[in-house]
Amino acid sequence: MKKFRKCWKWIVVMALAGICLVSLQGNVRAEEADTAPKGVYVDSVDISGMTLEQAASAVEEYVDDLLQTELVLQYVAQDSTLAEITATAEELGGYWSNTEIVNEAVSAGTKGNVVERYKTLKDLERTNKVYEVEISFDQTVLQEFIEQNCTAYDQAATNYSLSRSSGSFQIVEGAAGYAVNAEASAENIAASLNESWDKERAYLELTVEEEEPQGSAEELSRVQDVIGTYSTSFSSATSAKIANITNGARLINGVTLYPGEEFSFDSYSSPYTTDNGFVTGKAYEAGKVVDSIGGGICQVSSTLYNAVLRAELEVTMRYNHSMIVGYVPISADATLAESSGKDFRFVNDTDTPIYIEAYVSGKTLTVNIYGEETRPSNRTVEFESVVLETINPGADVIYTDSSQPIGYVQTSSAYTGYKAQLWKVVYVDGVEESRTQVNSSNYTAVARTATFGTATSDASQAAAMSEALATGSIDHVKSVMNSLLAAATAAETTETTETTETTETTEATGDASAEGTTAADTAAAE
């Protein structure tokens, strides 16, 4: 009987537990729905009662506003000015990185077993549950922004340099430079924001690196000796060429070049524009003499080339002209052509800095290269031009222009072609020690050309010019042309004299019919 009573008690207990479980399960299910429970937030956004779609829309709007939060990148510039660059979090690569929390928030209280879900819902009745939006920052986007927007205050280092006046050198002090390190800045700022950004306006420090100036007063004090010099004359140059030579000398004068540095003539003299001090002068182009802004500048590069050779510095780029020039020996020239990348370059391969001095005095251009002379005093260097082949320019070439009248003529000189070499000869105590080829040069042979105007209404003039042109001789065509012009001038003079005499007679007699005749004669003469 006692055993029966015990079993009965257990049956009752189990039944009651089943009823409670069913009741609890029913309560939990009653709370379950397709909307977020009351008291659920995503950051500050209350999504209680919202569907997943509604909640996602609300939170996305909140995040869009959040990504417009201003962040200030800053650093102290070289002049002690505080540089600040303001950007939004989105511009710095910020993005919402845990979008899955909306789904988790809406489904709060529906995960886990019955007891866990019931507990979650009961907890929400007492305390709100907040799901945190995570904003991450893309380091690549951040670096690109810094590179494009944060370098305005960068200051390149100013190297120690030299200036020269009144025959002596002065040392120009250098200054350190400062520059934003975009890669390091992006790495550090992204790490800081990803770890601890409170989603408020923040000030972020950029990584700035200091660049020490090159050189020193002690190093530059060693520059005292002329190690290479050369002068060229431009006594017969046009005013345009003189202007361009003077300007070119100005642009390269005062350059200090440290050991191992390469000098590019084009980088110092270009652009060849009026704004840079150049005017239109004559230049070579495809075997012709043409008008070009900066025409004549090659005399400066050629003079520098010869000074460099005598300083025995390493030449890394040099091109000869298409046709010979008269201001330096054959194969001792150095041309420039901005369009084709032709440049004159050399390297300071000495152990000390060098200084370039270029100036015009009268009709002479001089380039001096200063450095520290270490070569023996009994050693001298000379340069010899060797012509390997001479190429005849050929027969005259004549062109005609029917849009121009007889008397118009444009000519260009003939140029003999050459194949040549430049050799460096070293002497010690006056005795030749070595002979080394410096370069090879090919100069194009160009025939003398002339373009003659042929337009005329006089058939006899046209026939005479046609006959002269058929000879192919520029000098003969010029002679015939001048004869035709002289004859035409004489005829005009005679006709003018006759007209004047008729007019004077008319005025004397006062004859009305004669006045009419005179008027007709004058009109014909015009």
Side-chain angles (χ1 to χ4, degrees):
M1 187 67 177
K2 289 180 178 180
K3 290 181 179 180
F4 177 76
R5 288 175 180 173
K6 289 180 179 181
C7 289
W8 173 251
K9 289 178 180 179
W10 279 109
I11 292 171
V12 172
V13 170
M14 293 299 293
L16 290 173
I19 293 170
C20 290
L21 182 60
V22 171
S23 175
L24 177 61
Q25 191 172 17
N27 288 337
V28 172
R29 286 175 180 167
E31 295 291 338
E32 291 176 358
D34 293 332
T35 59
K38 183 178 180 180
V40 176
Y41 286 76
V42 177
D43 271 11
S44 59
V45 181
D46 183 358
I47 64 169
S48 302
M50 292 185 183
T51 64
L52 177 60
E53 183 178 354
Q54 291 170 335
S57 177
V59 176
E60 283 174 2
E61 183 177 351
Y62 160 76
V63 171
D64 287 343
D65 289 340
L66 181 61
L67 290 176
Q68 299 310 305
T69 302
E70 289 187 342
L71 300 174
V72 183
L73 306 177
Q74 60 182 15
Y75 70 99
V76 178
Q78 187 174 5
D79 59 358
S80 300
T81 302
L82 181 64
E84 292 188 338
I85 301 92
T86 302
T88 65
E90 186 174 30
E91 288 175 324
L92 296 184
Y95 65 97
W96 182 14
S97 58
N98 65 332
T99 55
E100 70 281 357
I101 62 167
V102 176
N103 188 61
E104 293 178 12
V106 171
S107 61
T110 65
K111 305 296 183 181
N113 58 41
V114 173
V115 175
E116 291 172 337
R117 284 180 282 167
Y118 181 78
K119 182 178 183 305
T120 298
L121 295 174
K122 286 299 181 183
D123 288 343
L124 285 171
E125 292 177 2
R126 298 188 300 273
T127 307
N128 295 333
K129 184 172 179 60
V130 179
Y131 291 83
E132 184 177 357
V133 168
E134 293 179 2
I135 300 297
S136 297
F137 288 80
D138 187 319
Q139 184 175 323
T140 300
V141 175
L142 179 55
Q143 181 173 333
E144 289 177 354
F145 180 90
I146 294 172
E147 289 172 343
Q148 295 173 10
N149 300 277
C150 301
T151 58
Y153 291 92
D154 285 2
Q155 181 69 49
T158 302
N159 294 335
Y160 283 80
S161 61
L162 291 167
S163 65
R164 185 172 175 82
S165 62
S166 302
S168 63
F169 282 111
Q170 292 79 43
I171 294 175
V172 181
E173 293 289 325
Y178 296 86
V180 171
N181 185 322
E183 183 177 0
S185 296
E187 183 178 355
N188 295 335
I189 292 173
S192 174
L193 291 172
N194 287 334
E195 181 180 344
S196 59
W197 184 42
D198 60 4
K199 300 170 186 171
E200 299 289 339
R201 180 184 176 92
Y203 292 85
L204 307 161
E205 187 175 351
L206 292 162
T207 302
V208 177
E209 294 182 345
E210 182 176 343
E211 178 188 2
E212 291 297 324
Q214 188 174 15
S216 65
E218 179 182 1
E219 187 176 9
L220 291 174
S221 66
R222 298 167 62 185
V223 180
Q224 296 292 334
D225 307 313
V226 175
I227 60 174
T229 183
Y230 200 78
S231 297
T232 57
S233 171
F234 50 89
S235 57
S236 60
T238 63
S239 59
K241 182 175 182 179
I242 294 172
N244 288 331
I245 289 174
T246 304
N247 189 53
R250 175 187 66 85
L251 292 172
I252 68 168
N253 181 57
V255 173
T256 301
L257 205 65
Y258 282 91
E261 287 188 330
E262 184 180 47
F263 175 91
S264 161
F265 191 94
D266 184 71
S267 68
Y268 281 93
S269 60
S270 64
Y272 303 105
T273 61
T274 54
D275 288 342
N276 198 29
F278 291 105
V279 299
T280 299
K282 298 297 182 182
Y284 290 163
E285 182 179 299
K288 295 181 179 180
V289 178
V290 299
D291 289 329
S292 175
I293 297 179
I297 185 66
C298 290
Q299 183 159 345
V300 183
S301 58
S302 295
T303 307
L304 175 62
Y305 175 48
N306 281 271
V308 166
L309 290 177
R310 284 151 181 79
E312 297 185 82
L313 301 173
E314 179 187 357
V315 175
T316 53
M317 180 181 288
R318 172 264 174 189
Y319 294 91
N320 62 270
H321 287 77
S322 58
M323 299 178 289
I324 60 168
V325 296
Y327 45 77
V328 292
I330 292 177
S331 212
D333 59 317
T335 190
L336 305 169
E338 191 176 22
S339 60
S340 60
K342 291 182 178 179
D343 192 8
F344 170 57
R345 300 178 188 175
F346 68 93
V347 171
N348 176 11
D349 55 351
T350 71
D351 295 329
T352 56
I354 63 172
Y355 176 87
I356 300 173
E357 179 183 51
Y359 63 90
V360 168
S361 177
K363 293 293 185 73
T364 300
L365 166 67
T366 298
V367 175
N368 295 319
I369 297 178
Y370 289 86
E372 183 179 36
E373 184 59 83
T374 59
R375 295 168 293 186
S377 58
N378 64 337
R379 179 181 179 277
T380 57
V381 177
E382 294 182 3
F383 292 87
E384 294 182 4
S385 296
V386 178
V387 175
L388 304 177
E389 182 181 350
T390 301
I391 306 167
N392 190 286
D396 292 349
V397 177
I398 296 177
Y399 302 98
T400 59
D401 187 345
S402 60
S403 67
Q404 297 291 342
I406 289 177
Y408 171 85
V409 60
Q410 275 194 333
T411 61
S412 64
S413 301
Y415 290 84
T416 301
Y418 296 95
K419 291 184 178 180
Q421 295 174 342
L422 187 68
W423 288 76
K424 173 183 175 181
V425 185
V426 177
Y427 296 91
V428 176
D429 292 325
V431 179
E432 183 176 320
E433 181 185 68
S434 64
R435 181 177 290 265
T436 308
Q437 183 180 334
V438 175
N439 67 45
S440 293
S441 303
N442 293 318
Y443 300 93
T444 304
V446 178
R448 184 173 62 147
T449 65
T451 300
F452 291 97
T454 58
T456 180
S457 59
D458 188 321
S460 61
Q461 282 189 341
M465 279 296 292
S466 178
E467 183 179 347
L469 289 168
T471 66
S473 169
I474 292 176
D475 293 334
H476 180 67
V477 176
K478 281 185 176 180
S479 177
V480 171
M481 178 189 71
N482 290 332
S483 297
L484 292 174
L485 292 174
T489 301
E492 289 176 1
T493 302
T494 300
E495 186 172 357
T496 302
T497 302
E498 291 176 351
T499 302
T500 302
E501 291 175 351
T502 303
T503 303
E504 290 174 348
T505 301
T506 302
E507 290 175 348
T509 60
D511 190 323
S513 62
E515 287 178 5
T517 304
T518 303
D521 290 344
T522 303
E526 291 175 353

